[in-house]
Amino acid sequence: MLYRYRPLFRGASGEEAEYFVHMVTERALDEGKYDDTRWTAAFASACLVGDALRWFSSLPPNVRKDWDVLQQAILLRYPTIPKRLIPTPAAAAAPPPVPAWKSIVRGRIIVAVDGDPTCYYISKQFSPGSFTVITSFASLALEVEFSSARLEGAALFIPPGQIPNFDTIGMQWAAPDPTSPVKCVSPIL
């Protein structure tokens, strides 16, 4: 019996996550299952070990069973740390290394609704009246960046090209009762 390589994913780094997503997609292509997101998600789940497996088991079923959604969740959970070049004059001493946690993290804001297993995100589209809406589609979700180096003035920054003329985001609950099932919040952009 011919044994095929099965990539294992531990959740150690963003680079490992990218490689894992690539290998799972390649395997789906080899098996003729590229369009079968349920098969691909099942295959990927059998490759998870350690912290990645524990994280996976906490995900809602709609994420665990759909490769298109699962691969986005993996890449958001395990982001790569951007590499930056810091120019220094030839005579100057090199600056002290910046700890890995002091970097820019990019992702989406997940909105949990009690009793609803669906994974929602803050959308990059507005509803009439300038309300931000939530969406269950990661492709329609607003991406934000957070600089952990500026913890004292923490803000979520909107990368260029998502919402014209806006670069930061804040939220204020619009319903009088924050436990009400309202799915719109008033943006502070």
Side-chain angles (χ1 to χ4, degrees):
M1 182 171 159
L2 180 62
Y3 176 75
R4 299 223 31 202
Y5 172 72
R6 182 176 296 232
L8 292 181
F9 179 59
R10 292 175 173 76
S13 70
E15 289 79 14
E16 181 195 18
E18 288 176 359
Y19 180 75
F20 176 72
V21 167
H22 170 75
M23 293 304 293
V24 169
T25 302
E26 190 173 278
R27 179 69 181 266
L29 281 168
D30 290 347
E31 297 292 329
K33 301 285 189 177
Y34 181 77
D35 292 326
D36 188 346
T37 60
R38 192 173 181 94
W39 181 92
T40 308
F43 173 75
S45 71
C47 300
L48 302 174
V49 294
D51 289 338
L53 177 61
R54 292 178 185 281
W55 167 76
F56 173 81
S57 5
S58 71
L59 294 173
N62 67 311
V63 176
R64 290 193 317 259
K65 295 179 181 180
D66 183 335
W67 176 241
D68 289 339
V69 179
L70 179 58
Q71 71 177 321
Q72 288 180 8
I74 290 169
L75 294 173
L76 285 172
R77 171 71 177 181
Y78 303 99
T80 57
I81 298 173
K83 295 174 178 74
R84 297 189 179 167
L85 296 176
I86 303 173
T88 56
V98 177
W101 62 271
K102 287 192 174 186
S103 62
I104 294 177
V105 179
R106 187 172 190 161
R108 296 173 180 93
I109 300 172
I110 295 176
V111 178
V113 178
D114 287 341
D116 188 345
T118 307
C119 185
Y120 291 106
Y121 306 93
I122 293 180
S123 173
K124 57 183 154 188
Q125 300 172 339
F126 290 108
S127 68
S130 295
F131 282 94
T132 302
V133 296
I134 60 175
T135 180
S136 59
F137 299 102
S139 61
L140 299 177
L142 176 69
E143 290 186 7
V144 294
E145 292 178 345
F146 173 77
S147 173
S148 60
R150 296 183 56 222
L151 292 176
E152 71 284 346
L156 295 176
F157 298 96
I158 302 171
Q162 294 195 65
I163 301 178
N165 304 319
F166 296 104
D167 61 0
T168 56
I169 185 170
M171 291 290 173
Q172 177 179 6
W173 193 259
D177 176 9
T179 62
S180 70
V182 173
K183 291 189 178 181
C184 292
V185 291
S186 175
I188 302 171
L189 298 172

